[in-house]
Amino acid sequence: FFQMMRRPPRSTQSRSSAASDVYKRQLHISNLVPEACNEQLLKVLFSAYGRVESVKILNVENTRSMCLVKLLTMEESFNVMAYLHDTELGGRKMQISFTRSKI
């Protein structure tokens, strides 16, 4: 009888790599001192190493804060990590990593 034509599998590689590219532009910065930083200060700091799309501070406790920073390209995100990871801000070393949270 009829032979079913099989569709080729959908390519998810371009979609998943595009999604991962978006997530690689987003950085999680932890170990911040709440009194020593605000969104404007962080935007100026990170702008020296890449074009900042957004900054969002998340207060975890009274003594610790973290923030999410989104840059325009992956290269700029890698640049920020290379220059600012483990650098001191307000007496503490910032810890920078990629995040999967949306800003």
Side-chain angles (χ1 to χ4, degrees):
F1 288 96
F2 292 83
Q3 212 175 23
M4 301 264 314
M5 297 208 40
R6 294 182 78 189
R7 285 187 193 173
R10 289 184 183 176
S11 174
T12 58
Q13 184 176 2
S14 61
R15 191 179 328 160
S16 64
S17 65
S20 67
D21 290 352
V22 170
Y23 291 122
K24 287 182 181 174
R25 295 184 304 135
Q26 299 177 22
L27 299 174
H28 175 264
I29 295 84
S30 60
N31 205 29
L32 297 173
V33 178
E35 301 82 27
C37 61
N38 58 46
E39 289 181 3
Q40 185 62 34
L41 171 76
L42 292 170
K43 188 169 186 171
V44 169
L45 176 66
F46 292 114
S47 292
Y49 303 97
R51 294 168 292 171
V52 176
E53 192 172 306
S54 62
V55 175
K56 184 176 180 181
I57 293 180
L58 308 167
N59 289 327
V60 178
E61 298 172 1
N62 291 337
T63 58
R64 288 188 310 146
S65 282
M66 63 181 165
C67 75
L68 301 173
V69 177
K70 187 174 183 181
L71 290 109
L72 290 178
T73 66
M74 281 185 351
E75 291 79 18
E76 291 169 331
S77 295
F78 284 115
N79 198 26
V80 165
M81 284 187 72
Y83 286 100
L84 294 178
H85 180 69
D86 274 342
T87 59
E88 198 170 292
L89 177 66
R92 292 189 188 161
K93 288 187 177 184
M94 292 186 290
Q95 301 298 310
I96 302 175
S97 61
F98 290 110
T99 184
R100 294 198 51 92
S101 300
K102 292 184 180 183
I103 297 178

